[in-house]
Amino acid sequence: MTENERGGPSRRALIGWGGAGLALGAAAAGGGVALSDGRLDPAPGGTGGAAVEFHGSHQAGIATPVQDRLHFAAFDVKTDDRAEFVQLLKDWTAAARLMTAGKPVGEGAYGGLAEAPPDDTGEALGLSPSRLTLTLGFGPSLFERFGLADRRPAALADLPKFPGDNLDGSRTGGDLCVQACADDPQVAVHAIRNLARVGFGKVAVRWSQLGFGKTSSTTPDAQTPRNLMGFKDGTRNIAGTETARLDRHVWVSGSDEDAKSAWMTGGSYLVARRIRMNIETWDRTSLQEQEDVFGRDKGEGAPAGKAKEHDAPFLKAMKPDAHVRLAHPDSNDGTTILRRGYSFTDGTDGLGRLDAGLFFLAYQRDVREGFIPLQRRLSAHDALNEYIQHVGSAVFAVPPGVRDSADWWGRALFSKEA
């Protein structure tokens, strides 16, 4: 986990989804030495409104500096026509290319035929690009369609049922996903709304999640965020500048896949988990127990037995079931994942309790060697389990980036010439 990343707030940032920039990285991640020195993290280029380059060998929104807001959507495919679905991917790519540049979709939101709906929904008119990134992934169920069964990578493993899981089927799975991250919540919502509109009749939203207050960062030397439990989080996440660690732990290489799934070279694998926090129980827990659960002190964020947040942790000084001790790479044969999670607050549960927690997003080179063994260890032993519950889950293959204006999302999977 690494640090928080904060540029100057956009004109809409203060009215985002639920408020404060708090975060949780508590459920299935590496803990350890923080990379930051506590300084605020300026937005790239000195402005929170800059555009992030859409084209590249990897999709933006993975190692890209983490934005302040999230709208994540999983889709079910409704068409059985392969050509129609491929055209949708091309149309989505064209729309994403425009929206990430701060431009409207198609002919825009006004000025066209009065008798026809406009091409763009219009709620982002006048807003900056806000560092919008759009990241697309393919779920395991997609490979049951369109003759793709033999193209499914082995690394796109179905997640087992972990102890303590209480998954809601309406918040689990999906044929496709799109992760929209931006510094302005309206820009992120606009992006998902327009992709859903372009896909009408061919795909339908299965579930979605809004997020605020990033729980980790991919930018070094940034302020460490606090999660909704009040603890600093985001230690030792992979930074976007750490090329060697990205290559080792995040990006799929040609040697990882056989010939039928070589289309994933340059991509990554995403695990998304909706983790509900028992806020009310946590808030009645003593400070000492809270610190023992995490293995850090609440004020400074220092590892148990240390004075400063960035001191190297001495894991044996922590309780055997402390979260940081169990999640640290040194306790897991070096297992490391890149996290981009967000906090969420979705009202109450009807019993007077907040429906709040972490929307956990983690990228890795192979789900079988990343999230699955890590979560097995945490779900069996982590003291934090008393205060959290996994209620939604999905896994996706995130293909390589769109390389140029002639390329499109998923071309390597669907085009024989690729």
Side-chain angles (χ1 to χ4, degrees):
M1 312 179 218
T2 17
E3 287 56 34
N4 195 17
E5 175 207 4
R6 290 201 184 279
S10 71
R11 60 181 172 139
R12 303 190 62 87
L14 299 180
I15 59 171
W17 308 311
L22 306 176
L24 171 73
V33 185
L35 298 175
S36 82
D37 59 6
R39 294 177 295 179
L40 289 176
D41 178 16
T47 171
V52 175
E53 177 58 48
F54 179 70
H55 299 121
S57 57
H58 311 294
Q59 288 197 59
I62 302 175
T64 308
V66 184
Q67 304 91 322
D68 286 334
R69 298 293 188 267
L70 167 80
H71 190 187
F72 186 96
F75 294 83
D76 287 333
V77 174
K78 297 301 183 181
T79 179
D80 292 322
D81 187 322
R82 179 181 172 119
E84 186 176 49
F85 181 70
V86 167
Q87 186 59 51
L88 169 66
L89 293 176
K90 294 178 179 179
D91 292 342
W92 268 11
T93 303
R97 187 179 285 118
L98 290 168
M99 290 189 290
T100 55
K103 299 176 182 179
V105 175
E107 298 299 319
Y110 61 90
L113 290 174
E115 297 78 14
D119 288 342
D120 188 279
T121 53
E123 72 273 23
L125 286 172
L127 301 180
S128 73
S130 298
R131 295 195 295 137
L132 172 68
T133 56
L134 293 168
T135 312
L136 174 133
F138 300 133
S141 54
L142 182 71
F143 294 87
E144 300 170 7
R145 296 171 170 270
F146 309 125
L148 296 175
D150 64 347
R151 306 297 300 279
R152 176 178 172 176
L156 182 63
D158 292 316
L159 300 183
K161 180 174 174 57
F162 298 102
D165 278 3
N166 186 24
L167 302 183
D168 178 352
S170 66
R171 292 182 179 273
T172 295
D175 297 327
L176 298 169
C177 76
V178 179
Q179 171 195 284
C181 298
D183 289 324
D184 186 327
Q186 188 143 319
V187 170
V189 170
H190 168 263
I192 295 296
R193 179 182 175 187
N194 275 274
L195 293 180
R197 184 177 183 276
V198 170
F200 182 76
K202 296 176 277 294
V203 295
V205 175
R206 178 180 177 86
W207 56 269
S208 70
Q209 180 67 56
L210 302 175
F212 67 90
K214 53 188 168 289
T215 63
S216 48
S217 169
T218 56
T219 306
D221 300 326
Q223 183 179 12
T224 307
R226 289 185 184 268
N227 57 44
L228 288 182
M229 290 175 164
F231 279 76
K232 288 186 177 182
D233 206 349
T235 14
R236 215 175 180 277
N237 200 38
I238 303 172
T241 55
E242 294 183 294
T243 304
R245 291 184 79 200
L246 288 167
D247 287 342
R248 180 179 179 185
H249 299 294
V250 178
W251 306 131
V252 177
S253 76
S255 62
D256 293 340
E257 308 292 350
D258 59 30
K260 292 182 178 179
S261 53
W263 60 272
M264 270 296 292
T265 299
S268 189
Y269 295 96
L270 168 64
V271 171
R273 302 278 282 186
R274 188 177 192 271
I275 303 171
R276 171 90 180 267
M277 291 195 284
N278 301 322
I279 294 291
E280 292 76 18
T281 303
W282 179 259
D283 290 345
R284 295 193 297 271
T285 300
S286 71
L287 175 61
Q288 184 61 62
E289 183 173 345
Q290 289 184 359
E291 292 182 336
D292 286 344
V293 165
F294 273 98
R296 291 184 177 274
D297 77 60
K298 198 168 188 177
E300 167 63 23
K306 299 289 185 174
K308 298 294 184 181
E309 177 193 351
H310 311 308
D311 290 345
F314 179 56
L315 299 182
K316 291 183 179 180
M318 303 174 189
K319 298 279 189 180
D321 58 357
H323 177 71
V324 168
R325 179 171 180 172
L326 291 171
H328 195 279
D330 288 352
S331 300
N332 295 280
D333 298 320
T335 297
T336 304
I337 54 181
L338 184 154
R339 301 190 318 156
R340 287 185 67 99
Y342 287 81
S343 295
F344 70 84
T345 302
D346 290 341
T348 63
D349 64 358
L351 299 174
R353 299 173 300 193
L354 285 175
D355 182 4
L358 163 73
F359 189 64
F360 172 86
L361 296 167
Y363 289 89
Q364 60 244 274
R365 186 166 167 172
D366 190 324
V367 174
R368 300 166 299 178
E369 299 174 1
F371 179 80
I372 290 177
L374 190 54
Q375 182 58 22
R376 277 184 172 143
R377 180 177 176 84
L378 290 172
S379 62
H381 304 291
D382 194 351
L384 192 59
N385 293 334
E386 182 178 349
Y387 305 98
I388 63 173
Q389 188 169 56
H390 291 234
V391 296
S393 179
V395 59
F396 300 95
V398 177
V402 176
R403 294 181 178 272
D404 52 41
S405 59
D407 199 4
W408 43 276
W409 271 330
R411 182 180 64 88
L413 173 60
F414 284 93
S415 293
K416 293 179 180 180
E417 64 272 17

